[in-house]
Amino acid sequence: MENKKTGNPLIGIFDSGVGGLSVLRQIRAQLPSYPVIYLADQAHVPYGQRPLEEVRQFSISITRFLLEQGARLIVVACNTASAAALKHLRETFTEIPFVGMEPAVKPAAEQTHSGIVGVLATPATFQGALYASVVERFARGVTILQDTCPGLVSEIEKGNLQGEETRAILTRALHPMLARGADTIVMGCTHYPFVIPLIEEIIHAYAGHPVRVIDPAPAVARQVGRVLAAYGLTSDGENTASPRFLTSGDRRTFKHMLRLLMNDTEAARVEQVRWGNQQLILEKP
Ligand code: DGL
């Protein structure tokens, strides 16, 4: 099934919540002719403290659902779900191209001058084999400092991008990294780019040296473009369809967050999905 208006291949994107919107906005900017469907599994957010096996099961069911809706390529716009499930998804849905997230340790290791890099990600991301493998491959000779920023995903889900609690969590994570000389900070969770202005403020107030903050979303969107081309999933003409947004959580809250995070440019309808028997079911409007 393809997008009815243009026939252009549909890109499916998912995350535990609003984090993947940081990836969606880059995909929309770089690949405007492709229609997209975005699913936020807010019934289960945050994913970061859950066992990898559980997140893997969610990811498989969400992928199946997005394919039923006509998606031709799946973007796992969540570091935690990528850590838990990317390999398994590729083995399960062998015909389908996937693009996932991995903490941007490689560019960080290439760009650091001090040789000290900070990574902010969820506990599950740090536990996964994917993270161990990027550190092993790319971070030789570089000191990596990690922080799980407890509670940050929930604050961002509440739209608290500047408040006291968010500031306290980030200060607790960043000050020790900066004190040890970190000059590069990696956003290893797709929620975190939404607090980059606050991160930069905290860095500016504390560090006596320049610090680079890496959001991998632009590079991920470029990778989506390359994979689409490699699979012959080309688009012709313009896409006039607005993105489809779906949540397994509260529709109103998600709509409010779309307005807040996407500057109302995507003033879309939000569709409801529900979990039943470990499957996602689309509710009729
Ligand atoms: N946005 C996600 C990530 O990139 C998930 C955060 C969470 O649900 O804990 O890891």
Side-chain angles (χ1 to χ4, degrees):
M1 202 208 304
E2 290 189 344
N3 177 272
K4 292 194 182 66
K5 266 193 183 133
T6 64
N8 288 342
L10 179 65
I11 300 175
I13 306 173
F14 75 91
D15 179 44
S16 59
V18 297
L21 295 173
S22 66
V23 179
L24 175 135
R25 67 182 171 188
Q26 288 297 328
I27 291 173
R28 297 276 292 156
Q30 293 185 31
L31 301 161
S33 59
Y34 286 87
V36 300
I37 176 168
Y38 182 94
L39 191 133
D41 186 16
Q42 289 173 307
H44 295 133
V45 70
Y47 275 3
Q49 281 91 351
R50 293 176 183 271
L52 293 173
E53 172 58 31
E54 188 182 24
V55 176
R56 190 175 306 144
Q57 288 312 319
F58 297 153
S59 302
I60 291 168
S61 300
I62 294 168
T63 296
R64 197 163 283 132
F65 176 84
L66 290 173
L67 295 176
E68 279 163 19
Q69 300 302 310
R72 306 286 300 278
L73 173 145
I74 303 291
V75 182
V76 185
C78 174
N79 290 78
T80 307
S82 298
L86 191 56
K87 187 167 169 278
H88 197 83
L89 290 171
R90 288 188 170 127
E91 287 165 3
T92 307
F93 303 94
T94 49
E95 308 286 299
I96 303 299
F98 287 89
V99 176
M101 311 293 302
E102 62 179 33
V105 168
K106 183 173 184 240
E110 285 163 3
Q111 288 166 25
T112 176
H113 293 295
S114 66
I116 301 170
V117 166
V119 181
L120 309 182
T122 67
T125 296
F126 285 131
Q127 276 158 32
L130 192 59
Y131 179 70
S133 129
V134 289
V135 170
E136 160 76 19
R137 279 181 294 147
F138 304 121
R140 295 206 173 193
V142 170
T143 301
I144 305 277
L145 308 174
Q146 296 170 193
D147 199 284
T148 57
C149 299
L152 186 55
V153 167
S154 301
E155 291 303 320
I156 294 170
E157 283 288 319
K158 283 189 264 175
N160 186 4
L161 307 184
Q162 285 283 342
E164 278 317 302
E165 188 50 33
T166 307
R167 186 179 293 270
I169 296 167
L170 285 169
T171 302
R172 266 197 302 272
L174 292 167
H175 278 190
M177 292 179 172
L178 299 170
R180 287 185 61 184
D183 67 351
T184 310
I185 307 289
V186 174
M187 302 292 99
C189 168
T190 53
H191 279 72
Y192 300 169
F194 290 116
V195 288
I196 285 178
L198 180 56
I199 288 175
E200 285 177 338
E201 199 186 306
I202 293 167
I203 291 173
H204 188 73
Y206 185 85
H209 55 271
V211 176
R212 188 190 299 268
V213 176
I214 299 186
D215 171 7
V220 170
R222 285 195 293 278
Q223 178 64 4
V224 171
R226 283 191 288 269
V227 173
L228 285 167
Y231 276 77
L233 294 170
T234 50
S235 67
D236 46 11
E238 233 180 285
N239 165 50
T240 48
S242 10
R244 276 183 73 190
F245 292 106
L246 302 90
T247 180
S248 59
D250 183 63
R251 278 201 299 166
R252 280 235 222 112
T253 313
F254 187 72
K255 204 171 159 63
H256 166 73
M257 288 304 290
L258 273 177
R259 231 175 272 136
L260 183 74
L261 300 176
M262 310 297 273
N263 297 327
D264 212 7
T265 49
E266 314 279 12
R269 202 166 67 84
V270 177
E271 297 170 69
Q272 185 74 58
V273 286
R274 299 244 182 248
W275 286 98
N277 253 341
Q278 299 193 0
Q279 304 293 327
L280 278 172
I281 300 145
L282 180 62
E283 252 186 28
K284 295 263 166 339

